[in-house]
Amino acid sequence: MARNIGPTVDTLLARVRQSGGIALDTDFATQLLTISQQIANAKLRSVVASGPFVTTASQLVYTYAELTAGSIPAIDILNATTADKKLYNFKRFEDLSAYDPDWFRAIGSGFYAWCQIARDFFVLYPAKTGASSVNLWFTKLTTVYTDYSDAYDTALELPDEDVEVALKIAEVLALLRSRKPEKIKRAVADVMKRFGA
Amino acid sequence: MAFTKAQILTFAGTLGLGLSNSTQLGTYFDDVVEEVGLLHAEPYFTAAAFVTVVSGTATYSLPSGALRLLYTFMSDRLLSEESDATLEAYDGTWRATAGSEIYAFTQDYLENQFTLYPEPNFSSTVGGDNLDGSYDSGWIWTIYTEDRSSSIPDYDAPRLACRTLAKEFERSANQQDHAFADACKEVVALLDYMLRKPDES
């Protein structure tokens, strides 16, 4: 069963409570937790979704803003498929340029590959002469809330087993207000340990 | 939602218990965005824009808000970024060489300019600055790191705030606190690690 935001914020507040310290505002704690959920999901890729993305004739490069406007709220793309195949993923933009130095305006009969540039651009190679579509699998940009009362009964999007990562990141950020550097470093180490880093 | 610079400064002020100097914090935020855009291996913010080519002009200003060109395309090709020294070694009179096939460019970070090699002997066609089929190959298209103060993704807000706080609390002032500044840097390292694209090392 998914964990709700309100009780998880309460847990965060209990963890960082400091006698004689300055209390953390519940709305700010809600914002910290839900931003931390986005950050955790960027690493864990736990919350994924898929959907069709309509492409434009002769266009290879799309912005993430265009993806979001096309109902693809993505932190990053995981896979791209057409009706008959899974497209190849060039992990690095330079690899696409090495494969085809003229890729920038390449036009073909079907999509062959895709790659990302930073977190702002998505490239489909080659372009097609007419409008078309691909199906994208993506790491979802989870929702951020800033109002504790409104979000109280809303479920976190991360699966239960990953909520602790988001909670720990939120804890690290909240601990900055405690001005206890050693505690902060300890909390950072706890998160890194989760990833074996 | 997405953050603006003002909202990140408020966010940072809350994390720093309001002990920071808000004017100085704003200056440090600008420094952080520039630092990340110019030096960071995995830049936080990128954008793209067309640049108009004028026949007989080799040097152009970076697009507004650009800090560093990452990729520059022209005539369907990715141009090679070279240093002045490399171009001088290749062509001793490269600054005076004109042509219709552009191969390379150099960047001048102090003047926020870049120079094409060879100097174009043609101009962009009006209306050709599109990424779709009406693109005209006489335009330059650039992807660059951006000096951004709005539309900042939520997930970037904490690391920008912590980078800014680290600078503010290292400064020689009443609120100076090196231990806290170091802790902020540790948090930044954690957030950079979490937000590094999983496919990158």
Side-chain angles (χ1 to χ4, degrees):
Chain A
M1 197 184 112
R3 287 170 68 173
N4 285 349
I5 290 173
T8 314
V9 168
D10 295 343
T11 303
L12 170 65
L13 293 172
R15 285 190 190 179
V16 299
R17 187 165 293 133
Q18 189 185 4
S19 56
I22 299 171
L24 193 63
D25 175 75
T26 49
D27 287 345
F28 187 66
T30 303
Q31 188 180 26
L32 285 185
L33 177 69
T34 50
I35 288 177
S36 299
Q37 177 176 234
Q38 275 193 357
I39 294 168
N41 197 40
K43 185 73 181 171
L44 298 167
R45 294 175 157 178
S46 300
V47 186
V48 298
S50 70
F53 177 64
V54 176
T55 60
T56 304
S58 310
Q59 182 169 333
L60 291 92
V61 183
Y62 300 89
T63 63
Y64 269 56
E66 287 174 280
L67 294 183
T68 303
S71 302
I72 308 284
I75 294 183
D76 63 343
I77 305 296
L78 302 173
N79 269 313
T81 59
T82 58
D84 57 348
K85 65 174 180 280
K86 180 180 170 186
L87 307 187
Y88 181 78
N89 174 211
F90 285 103
K91 302 286 185 201
R92 295 168 56 242
F93 171 73
E94 288 80 0
D95 296 337
L96 173 57
S97 290
Y99 175 78
D100 180 0
D102 297 331
W103 72 267
F104 179 52
R105 299 302 306 161
I107 293 179
S109 56
F111 299 119
Y112 164 67
W114 63 277
C115 77
Q116 292 187 100
I117 305 173
R119 287 199 190 272
D120 292 296
F121 296 98
F122 170 69
V123 177
L124 267 174
Y125 166 85
K128 290 171 79 169
T129 47
S132 185
S133 76
V134 290
N135 200 51
L136 299 179
W137 290 85
F138 56 95
T139 307
K140 189 174 178 287
L141 195 63
T142 55
T143 308
V144 169
Y145 295 90
T146 54
D147 188 308
Y148 175 74
S149 304
D150 286 354
Y152 193 88
D153 292 324
T154 304
L156 283 161
E157 292 170 75
L158 283 173
D160 286 359
E161 63 271 26
D162 293 332
V163 167
E164 183 58 26
V165 177
L167 201 45
K168 268 287 177 195
I169 294 168
E171 192 181 326
V172 165
L173 294 169
L175 278 173
L176 285 171
R177 287 170 54 86
S178 75
R179 313 287 293 208
K180 300 272 189 198
E182 293 73 23
K183 278 191 170 184
I184 298 165
K185 289 178 182 181
R186 183 67 256 161
V188 167
D190 284 349
V191 182
M192 297 300 266
K193 199 164 65 182
R194 163 75 166 75
F195 297 98
Chain B
M1 66 172 280
F3 278 76
T4 61
K5 172 184 171 181
Q7 288 169 324
I8 288 191
L9 295 184
T10 303
F11 189 88
T14 305
L15 292 179
L17 289 177
L19 295 175
S20 49
N21 175 317
S22 58
T23 306
Q24 197 59 44
L25 212 55
T27 305
Y28 283 140
F29 173 87
D30 295 341
D31 290 349
V32 162
V33 171
E34 192 167 308
E35 196 174 280
V36 166
L38 283 171
L39 302 174
H40 207 270
E42 194 181 336
Y44 291 5
F45 311 124
T46 53
F50 284 95
V51 176
T52 313
V53 174
V54 178
S55 180
T57 302
T59 299
Y60 299 87
S61 297
L62 294 187
S64 174
L67 295 168
R68 172 170 60 107
L69 294 182
L70 295 174
Y71 306 108
T72 302
F73 299 88
M74 192 176 194
S75 306
D76 299 357
R77 282 232 163 207
L78 177 64
L79 303 185
S80 169
E81 182 179 359
E82 305 293 349
S83 66
D84 285 15
T86 303
L87 288 177
E88 275 153 19
Y90 177 73
D91 176 356
T93 58
W94 72 274
R95 288 184 177 82
T97 305
S100 58
E101 288 286 334
I102 310 301
Y103 307 110
F105 71 98
T106 63
Q107 289 197 59
D108 181 342
Y109 294 106
L110 287 178
E111 298 293 333
N112 278 346
Q113 292 177 332
F114 66 101
T115 301
L116 298 175
Y117 170 76
E119 178 184 281
N121 59 10
F122 57 89
S123 297
S124 301
T125 308
V126 175
D129 51 339
N130 298 293
L131 279 174
D132 62 14
S134 55
Y135 168 76
D136 179 81
S137 61
W139 286 79
I140 301 167
W141 190 65
T142 59
I143 296 179
Y144 51 85
T145 61
E146 186 184 33
D147 182 3
R148 194 179 292 185
S149 58
S150 62
S151 301
I152 296 167
D154 298 320
Y155 54 79
D156 278 326
R159 58 178 176 173
L160 282 173
C162 290
R163 276 182 184 274
T164 306
L165 283 173
K167 284 186 180 293
E168 167 65 357
F169 284 91
E170 273 180 338
R171 181 168 67 96
S172 177
N174 287 340
Q175 71 271 24
Q176 187 180 48
D177 184 341
H178 286 298
F180 180 71
D182 287 347
C184 287
K185 287 179 188 173
E186 294 228 6
V187 176
V188 169
L190 168 70
L191 297 175
D192 279 348
Y193 173 77
M194 294 299 292
L195 290 167
R196 188 174 301 147
K197 283 192 291 176
D199 296 329
E200 296 190 354
S201 56

